[in-house]
């Protein structure tokens, strides 16, 4: 189906390809692709009940959720284990969701945690190696401000300086 608007037509063809992949996929026919903007909105709406459960009932020391990823921070390992079981039960019974066992990790905060492409420590955070490499590989003059914000937010001052030198080298190439 060709659309009048080239932009809409491109997206229509992409949606058709995605639907065809889903039809051929042997995976379970549940869930929605999270990369989709509407999927992100639906995740926030659907998981709002879980947010309220965690904040109002479990009352952990800390709780962060972005899309379908979340972290619960608790003082003791015993309290965290209890909250973990209650959260899994709530997700299964109320929302019909399951936690991926590979992603269900308990770790002391002092060693840092990996969350949304960053390593978060009690004293700060840093980009993981994959995201650092992607910044260096994909840096163009069109996206320099976006990557600048990312690097400044998650990197130490020497890494920010390295980023600026890389930007200058790109400018010299023009």
């Amino acid at each position: 189906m060709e659309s009048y608007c080239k932009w809409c037509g491109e997206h229509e063809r992409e949606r058709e390809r995605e639907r065809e992949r889903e039809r051929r996929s042997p995976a379970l026919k549940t869930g929605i692709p999270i990369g989709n903007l509407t999927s992100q909105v639906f995740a926030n709406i659907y998981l709002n009940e879980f947010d309220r459960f965690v904040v109002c009932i479990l009352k952990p020391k800390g709780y962060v959720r972005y899309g379908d990823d979340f972290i619960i921070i608790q003082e003791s390992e015993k309290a965290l284990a209890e909250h973990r079981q209650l959260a899994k039960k709530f997700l299964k019974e109320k929302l019909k969701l399951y936690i991926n066992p590979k992603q269900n990790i308990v770790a002391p905060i002092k060693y840092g945690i990996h969350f949304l492409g960053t390593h978060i420590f009690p004293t700060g955070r840093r980009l993981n190696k994959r995201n650092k490499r992607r910044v260096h590989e994909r840096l163009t003059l069109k996206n320099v401000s976006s990557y600048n914000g990312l690097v400044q937010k998650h990197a130490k001052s020497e890494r920010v300086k390295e980023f600026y030198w890389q930007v200058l080298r790109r400018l010299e190439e023009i």
Side-chain angles (χ1 to χ4, degrees), residues 125-160:
R125 62 186 172 266
R126 69 172 184 239
L127 285 175
N128 65 16
K129 288 180 182 178
R130 178 177 175 244
N131 283 340
K132 283 184 209 172
R133 188 176 64 251
R134 290 178 79 186
V135 168
H136 291 293
E137 291 171 355
R138 297 181 177 185
L139 182 66
T140 66
L141 294 178
K142 290 182 181 178
N143 62 20
V144 74
S145 61
S146 176
Y147 283 134
N148 181 41
L150 181 72
V151 170
Q152 282 197 0
K153 191 75 169 171
H154 300 292
K156 292 185 178 179
S157 61
E158 60 267 11
R159 298 286 179 240
V160 174

Side-chain angles (χ1 to χ4, degrees), residues 12-166:
E12 184 61 35
R13 285 190 293 279
E14 181 59 34
R15 281 192 293 260
E16 278 302 316
R17 286 190 291 266
E18 188 174 322
R19 286 186 204 114
E20 185 58 36
R21 278 192 302 270
E22 289 173 1
R23 280 191 286 271
R24 286 186 266 130
S25 173
L28 295 174
K29 300 297 181 189
T30 59
I32 49 181
I34 204 67
N36 216 341
L37 182 59
T38 55
S39 302
Q40 295 168 22
V41 172
F42 291 144
N44 284 334
I45 292 168
Y46 196 69
L47 290 171
N48 180 54
E49 193 174 342
F50 179 68
D51 294 340
R52 290 176 182 264
F53 171 76
V54 171
V55 172
C56 298
I57 306 298
L58 298 182
K59 297 181 182 175
K61 183 176 180 185
Y63 170 69
V64 177
R65 183 180 65 79
Y66 183 85
D68 60 346
D69 298 322
F70 65 91
I71 297 174
I72 296 176
I73 299 171
Q74 194 51 269
E75 290 283 341
S76 71
E77 196 171 335
K78 182 181 176 187
L80 184 59
E82 183 181 321
H83 285 177
R84 180 190 219 178
Q85 290 306 315
L86 291 171
K88 285 170 70 173
K89 182 179 179 184
F90 181 88
L91 287 168
K92 182 179 179 183
E93 292 176 1
K94 300 285 186 184
L95 301 178
K96 309 292 188 245
L97 295 173
Y98 298 91
I99 294 177
N100 182 344
K102 291 180 182 178
Q103 301 296 325
N104 191 6
I105 300 167
V106 174
I109 289 181
K110 66 181 178 180
Y111 299 124
I113 54 175
H114 175 74
F115 187 64
L116 303 175
T118 60
H119 293 285
I120 304 169
F121 300 94
T123 57
R125 62 186 172 266
R126 69 172 184 239
L127 285 175
N128 65 16
K129 288 180 182 178
R130 178 177 175 244
N131 283 340
K132 283 184 209 172
R133 188 176 64 251
R134 290 178 79 186
V135 168
H136 291 293
E137 291 171 355
R138 297 181 177 185
L139 182 66
T140 66
L141 294 178
K142 290 182 181 178
N143 62 20
V144 74
S145 61
S146 176
Y147 283 134
N148 181 41
L150 181 72
V151 170
Q152 282 197 0
K153 191 75 169 171
H154 300 292
K156 292 185 178 179
S157 61
E158 60 267 11
R159 298 286 179 240
V160 174
K161 288 176 186 175
E162 286 176 14
F163 174 77
Y164 290 152
W165 282 110
Q166 185 180 7

